[in-house]
Amino acid sequence: MDKRRNDSLFFDIETTGLSPDISAITVIGCCDGDSECIQWFNEDGFSQKEILSEFLTYCKNRKTLISFNGASFDLPFLLAKAQEYGLTDTLSPMEHLDLYRELRRCRHLFPFGRFRQKNFEKYLGFSRKDSLSGKQVIKTYQSWLETGDNALREQVLLHNREDLLGLRAVFQLLCYPALESGEFTVLHASVRDASLQAEIHLEHPFPVPAQLEKDCISLEIQADRAVFHENLTEEGMLKHYYPNPKDYYYLPEEDIIIPKSMGTFVDKGSRIPASSSSCYSKFRPEEAFLSDQQAQHTFLAHNICYLMKKTES
């Protein structure tokens, strides 16, 4: 994830409306992982071609654009304007990382309902000096054109700059999909007090402590360390959840799963499609498992993936 910042740009735009056909670009801003923000400001209301051209030139040696919901708004808006003015499109060949789309599948893990950048910023403790809403930014820009009051210009630029800095903060939350993808190292695993406990090292540290719980599984996370717990069943077994329940049938009477390819060998009345909560096998955590870090990693990756899934209704 850090490597991606070396040739990446966080970017955000301000406009006079939602449609590129009838609206104008007022500000284009960008920054990388560490540098100060660079901003291009439409000084007179008629300079969007010039600021867009400068931004496109600035981007041409970068590989990745990072935004929040930019795939739906910012990027299509810029591409439409580039086409309108006959400018060379340097954006389409770039990878685009939309944090809104990347984090959307984990939205149930965050303690807020509205899925906006500002909600993530508040969750991370990012404090804004800017207090303008999107609609207020448009009105402030229009007032700047009418009055030339530099204080209004600075308010618009501040809003864009804080969007960029907030975006850079939200980027840290890619630790969630990274964890779900198994990007961690097992440090130690042991069985005690009728449960498996495993300590893991995360490749992407969590900026805010987190605790995830589901059924008999829990994960306590602090920065780049996490502790996984799973209670043993009454028979002293662990449940190993599989990430592809659509490929299995569950046999309730026997509490086992079978591949769907074997379904013809089982009476239809004895099987049901497996769900994420029933798609597991059981095993005893004996010495062979406790001394095999690869086996532990596979088990933990699958069970953490299950833990992070939305609970079935």
Side-chain angles (χ1 to χ4, degrees):
M1 191 154 48
D2 290 337
K3 290 180 180 178
R4 217 181 292 192
R5 287 190 172 190
N6 294 334
D7 54 14
S8 303
L9 282 176
F10 297 91
F11 83 105
D12 182 69
I13 66 173
E14 311 301 331
T15 68
T16 59
L18 299 178
S19 172
D21 293 334
I22 57 175
S23 306
I25 304 167
T26 58
V27 183
I28 306 174
C30 68
C31 64
D32 60 24
D34 302 301
S35 69
E36 294 293 324
C37 299
I38 299 174
Q39 295 172 292
W40 292 269
F41 186 74
N42 187 344
E43 298 282 354
D44 54 10
F46 301 102
S47 301
Q48 59 180 333
K49 179 180 179 181
E50 288 73 20
I51 65 173
L52 178 56
S53 178
E54 290 181 21
F55 175 67
L56 294 174
T57 299
Y58 186 81
C59 288
K60 66 181 182 180
N61 293 322
R62 302 282 184 148
K63 291 185 179 180
T64 305
L65 290 171
I66 305 173
S67 72
F68 191 91
N69 204 31
S72 297
F73 177 69
D74 304 65
L75 192 57
F77 201 106
L78 293 176
L79 292 176
K81 288 299 183 181
Q83 183 177 20
E84 177 183 340
Y85 291 117
L87 299 173
T88 301
D89 173 13
T90 59
L91 304 181
S92 293
M94 300 173 68
E95 175 189 358
H96 182 209
L97 182 65
D98 187 334
L99 299 185
Y100 172 83
R101 295 189 176 186
E102 291 292 319
L103 295 171
R104 183 168 52 188
R105 69 177 186 265
C106 304
R107 65 185 306 165
H108 59 284
L109 300 175
F110 296 104
F112 44 81
R114 302 192 69 183
F115 205 61
R116 302 181 308 168
Q117 180 174 323
K118 287 184 177 180
N119 296 100
F120 284 105
E121 292 172 0
K122 185 176 180 180
Y123 171 69
L124 290 166
F126 177 81
S127 179
R128 279 180 170 254
K129 297 176 183 177
D130 154 65
S131 60
L132 296 180
S133 67
K135 289 183 179 180
Q136 289 172 330
V137 171
I138 295 173
K139 292 181 179 179
T140 303
Y141 178 76
Q142 292 169 339
S143 296
W144 144 257
L145 292 179
E146 295 169 1
T147 66
D149 184 347
N150 277 329
L152 299 174
R153 180 181 186 275
E154 287 306 311
Q155 287 180 36
V156 175
L157 288 170
L158 176 63
H159 178 87
N160 177 258
R161 184 162 55 252
E162 299 219 316
D163 276 349
L164 291 169
L165 297 177
L167 182 60
R168 196 156 67 183
V170 174
F171 180 82
Q172 299 174 86
L173 292 175
L174 289 184
C175 60
Y176 276 87
L179 174 62
E180 188 177 29
S181 298
E183 297 180 32
F184 59 82
T185 303
V186 183
L187 299 176
H188 178 72
S190 62
V191 174
R192 60 188 183 192
D193 300 326
S195 68
L196 174 79
Q197 178 174 305
E199 184 179 358
I200 62 179
H201 175 266
L202 307 179
E203 294 180 24
H204 306 295
F206 273 58
V208 176
Q211 181 161 344
L212 309 177
E213 296 184 45
K214 182 190 286 187
D215 300 333
C216 58
I217 302 173
S218 69
L219 190 70
E220 299 176 20
I221 306 168
Q222 291 276 354
D224 63 349
R225 290 289 191 276
V227 177
F228 174 93
H229 290 271
E230 179 174 341
N231 295 332
L232 302 182
T233 67
E234 292 181 359
E235 301 83 14
M237 311 278 272
L238 286 173
K239 290 183 177 181
H240 181 156
Y241 290 88
Y242 294 95
N244 49 338
K246 291 182 180 180
D247 295 338
Y248 292 91
Y249 285 118
Y250 177 61
L251 311 185
E253 292 185 7
E254 301 177 56
D255 191 22
I256 61 171
I257 56 171
I258 60 170
K260 283 192 172 178
S261 60
M262 297 178 60
T264 55
F265 300 104
V266 178
D267 182 74
K268 289 184 178 180
S270 301
R271 74 187 197 207
I272 58 175
S275 63
S276 61
S277 60
S278 65
C279 191
Y280 56 79
S281 62
K282 293 186 287 187
F283 70 97
R284 294 188 185 280
E286 297 177 342
E287 186 59 34
F289 171 76
L290 295 174
S291 61
D292 185 344
Q293 284 198 333
Q294 183 57 52
Q296 294 166 21
H297 185 278
T298 300
F299 167 79
L300 291 169
H302 286 174
N303 281 26
I304 289 172
C305 184
Y306 168 67
L307 179 62
M308 296 181 71
K309 283 183 179 178
K310 187 174 182 179
T311 301
E312 296 165 334
S313 57

